[in-house]
Every structure is written in structure tokens, then in C-alpha cells.
Amino acid sequence: MTPRIYIPGDSGALALGAEKVAKAIRAELAERGIEAKIVRNGSRGAYFLEPMVEVATANGRVAYGPVKPSDVKSLFDSGFLTGGHHKRWLGAPDKIPFLAKQTRLTFARCGINDPLSLDAYKSLGGLNGLRNAVAMAPADIVKQVTESGLRGRGGAGFPTGIKWKTVLDTTSERKYIVCNADEGDSATFADRMIMEGDPFVLIEGMAIAGIATGATKGFVYIRSEYPHAVAVMNKAVEIARKAGVLGVTVLGSPNAFDMEIRVGAGAYVCGEETSLLNSLEGKRGVVRAKPPLPAIQGLFGKPTVINNVISLASVPVIMDKGAAFYKDFGMGRSRGTIPIQIAGNVKQGGLFETAFGLTLGEIVDEIGGGTSTGRPVKAVQVGGPLGAYFPRALFDTPFDYEEFAKRDGLIGHAGITVFDDTADMLKQARFAMEFCAIESCGKCTPCRIGSTRGVETIDRLAAGIEPEKNLALVTDLCNTMKFGSLCALGGFTPYPVMSSITHFPEDFKPAPARVAAE
Ligand SMILES: Cc1cc2nc3c(=O)[nH]c(=O)nc-3n(C[C@H](O)[C@H](O)[C@H](O)COP(=O)(O)O)c2cc1C
Ligand code: SF4
């Protein structure tokens, strides 16, 4: 049997040297006169182990990682093609604790095979959901998605089924499905990982959304910083079209659905749905006032479903295994699974898909293994640049939309950034205001002007100028931004700022005291 070697071609693994490892393995094979098939799979998401090379053996796959080009010779000497022991030996990939502890529904196939092999996709249950959907009435598909409890994974957590019903109930002849793959939040990479590692699941989810709502055309808006994802998605769409998954007769049914990939304009605010629509129409990425909702008047003025990549990629498993199966995972009103992206100063960074309900402490300490510097964790920012900083005292918060909201936080797109005790929370608060000032689309005053005044006020605080007055001013400003901004960029910037002030007051002491304390 020709040996089979799996080397991830996902951009995360490439950034960690996967291409150099592939080159070294090819050279070693040639030198030893061994014929082997090299498969470029996606990443399984244990990025602390990338580049993670796998070999298919008679007893299943065996993984090695993180592999360096300098390891390759000794790997061959250790008989890695048949699973031989080596210092990089990790054993069966699905037994690696970081992967074994996960509940993979959305990412079930990600990283296992060549992402562009439709046969491999089908062999692991791919297209089952779409096959069921084409045999159903649109309203029944929408009902199933509603009953699953799926909520938008882009940040707002809005029920996906309700959004789809609004579009289904419109009478327009032209409707659109828009996939939001702008993924601008710090610490997030779930969208990228699935687009590069299992692109057909997103295509399948979008086709189901089209059939469910009467939309025949879809667009994926991918941030310009994701060239690999753009390339993989473009190829996958072409393959799906040739195979009849997309086109005028989806899987041979009377339903038509096709889609195109669009590259984003490079602004954080273009991830906000109405700004994204403007950008997609070739206009400047400025937020539109709501109403009208995009579901009524969206892309080119037509009813439009806008969903995040993970929301859409979670639909196939719901349509395959049923609403009750999906809903069975999770807690409270947060149903199903959530791909948590663990990053920052953390030992075991990567993507961890699990049912809602793990506590923040379990995620940071047990799954993430604490900080990579070995110092104590001081703060964890959950939900990207607009998310709150949680101190260790709040580590018992379960990962759940409502539980985080209760503690003035948010889950957002489920990215978490870990900071050790050297972090200066005043600097982090300033950074949040500065980020808002830079990324503001400029449409409303609280955000456009408020964020700049916020930076100036925090600078005065840092310099020890009238600390009490300036602290009160920042608090007042945050209140104005929170309640007066048109969208969540200005509206949520107060979360990182106020959580820093509330949970880490020692970092906001006047400058001389701060210097003395250091
Ligand atoms: C400033 C800002 C940036 C956003 N960026 C993203 C993004 O990158 N990806 C995303 O899916 N949603 C983003 N959102 C949320 C979207 O506006 C929208 O809620 C989401 O695309 C809806 O899809 P969902 O219901 O599937 O989550 C952003 C919102 C704001 C205010
Ligand atoms: S809050 Fe900021 S980004 Fe949002 S509409 Fe207002 S100015 Fe634009």
C-alpha cells in the first residue's frame, strides 16, 4: 500500500512552517526512493501542535507535531510512515486530549481530508443535510432551523430561523443569501479555518438557506487578509457547480442556487452587516440606519439573509441529524455547540468546539493550559475588541450568551484573548478607544467624536491629571457611546473600557501611584 502523509495546507499551519515541512518530507521521500501520497488537509485546530503531520497506518492515523523541517530525517529513521515512535509522536489524532475533549458538530470534518475532495466530504456525511432539504417545503426547513435553537455566531446571537422566516415571508422575486466572512475580531479564526478546511459545509449551508427562503443567489464576503480562504472557496464553488450541488437544479431538484466569492475592503466596520452590504454593492463601507432590516431590504434593496460563516456551516448537521439532536447540546437559550477560539498569551491556543456551558476558567486553565509565559492569568477578553475583560473572579461564568450578558460581557464570535499579570489595563482601555476611533465609519457622533475624546481623556488619566474628574468623564462618555451609537462598534467599545475600570481599578490609579506601585 502506498503510504499516505497528511500535511496541513491551512494558513495557520502554513504560518507555522507547514510548507517547509512538506518540502523536507518530499525531499526525504525522493532521497530514500519511497513513493508516498501527500495529502494537504486542513488544520484540526490544535494550533499549538501545528504543523501536525499525520500518516495513515494499518491501525489508523498517527499524528506527529509540532514538526520542524529538522525533525524530518529522524522521523523517517524512526519509521514514522508506519506510526513509529519519535519525540514528536502524538498518537491517534482523535485521542489527543485537546481534540478528544471536543464535541465536533460544525467542525466534524475539518482538517481530516483534502478540503477540495467532494468525495471525501460525502464519505463523512457531507450533503446529507442538503439532500433532506431539497425534499422539504421551505417553511419546514425554516421550522427545523428555528427549533434547533441556532443563534447567529457572528456576534449578536440573533435566532437564525427567525431571520430566515422574515426573508421567506417576503414576496420579492429576487432574494439573496450573504455570508459574512469578514471575521475581524481579535483572536478569531473559526471562519477562516472552516473555509480552508471544509469549504463544502459552508456551500451546503448556503444552498440550504437559499432553498429555505427562496433566494437563488449567494455571496460570501471574505476579508482581504484571507487569500488562502478566498482561493479555496473559489475552487470549492467551481467543483460544487460542476457536480450539480450548485446551479439551476441543486442536486437534481427544481431548486436553483448559485454563489460567488467577494473580497472585502479591509475595514473592521465592513463586518457590520449593513456596512458589508454597502461594500458588496461597491459603495463605501458605512453603516446604514435600521429599519429597514436587511431581511426586508438588504443587498441591492432586496430581502437578504446575512449570516456568519459558522451559523451557515452549522445548518447542514441540523438538517442531517434533526433539530432535536442539535438542541440537545448546550444550556439555557444557548443551544448546540460553539467553536471557541483560544488565543493570546496561552499555552494551548487553537479552536475548541464544545457545547455551550463550559466555564471561562475551564476554558482558560484546563483547555488552554494557562499562559504561555507561565505567569498568572490577569484578564481574559472575550468576544473580540468590543468584548469585556474578565478577571479571575468571574472565571465561573459559563459560556452562554445570557450568562455573559448578565456580567456585562459578551460572547461575540467566541474568540478569547488571554493576558498575564504584566498587562496594563489602562493601556488596554485606551487601545479599545483608539481602535474605535480608527475603525469608526464616521456616521454617528457618539462613536466618531466620542472615541477620540475617550483616548484624550484616558491619556489625561494616565498622566495623573485630575484623576477623579477624568475617570468620571470616561464613565459618562461610555454611557453616551453605549446608548447613543448607531451600531455596536461605538455601542460596545464601552465594554472593554468599563470592564477594565471596574475589575482592575488599581491600573487606573494616578500616574505617580502607578509608578510607585511598579
Ligand atoms: C463593528 C461590527 C463588526 C462586525 N463584524 C462581524 C464579522 O466580522 N463577522 C460576522 O459574522 N459578524 C460581524 N458583525 C455582526 C454582523 O453585523 C451581523 O450581526 C452578523 O453578520 C449576522 O449574522 P449571524 O446572525 O449569523 O451572526 C459585526 C458587527 C459590528 C457592529
Ligand atoms: S457607531 Fe461608529 S461605526 Fe457604528 S455607525 Fe456610528 S460611527 Fe459608524
Side-chain angles (χ1 to χ4, degrees), residues 269 272 286-288 436 439-448 481 484-491:
V269 79
E272 191 283 332
V286 179
V287 172
R288 297 178 185 171
C436 183
E439 298 293 338
S440 169
C441 84
K443 181 130 178 173
C444 68
T445 315
C447 167
R448 188 184 68 245
M481 288 175 73
S485 296
L486 186 58
C487 86
L489 179 45

Side-chain angles (χ1 to χ4, degrees), residues 340-405:
I340 300 169
Q341 300 127 85
I342 310 169
N345 183 349
V346 71
K347 215 175 268 164
Q348 302 194 143
L351 180 133
F352 193 89
E353 181 177 353
T354 181
F356 284 94
L358 279 186
T359 66
L360 186 57
E362 284 170 316
I363 297 162
V364 173
D365 296 329
E366 288 167 35
I367 313 294
T371 64
S372 57
T373 50
R375 299 182 68 94
V377 175
K378 174 167 179 175
V380 181
Q381 189 177 29
V382 184
L386 309 177
Y389 288 97
F390 274 38
R392 191 164 271 286
L394 294 182
F395 273 19
D396 60 343
T397 313
F399 221 75
D400 166 287
Y401 292 106
E402 279 66 41
E403 292 296 328
F404 264 73

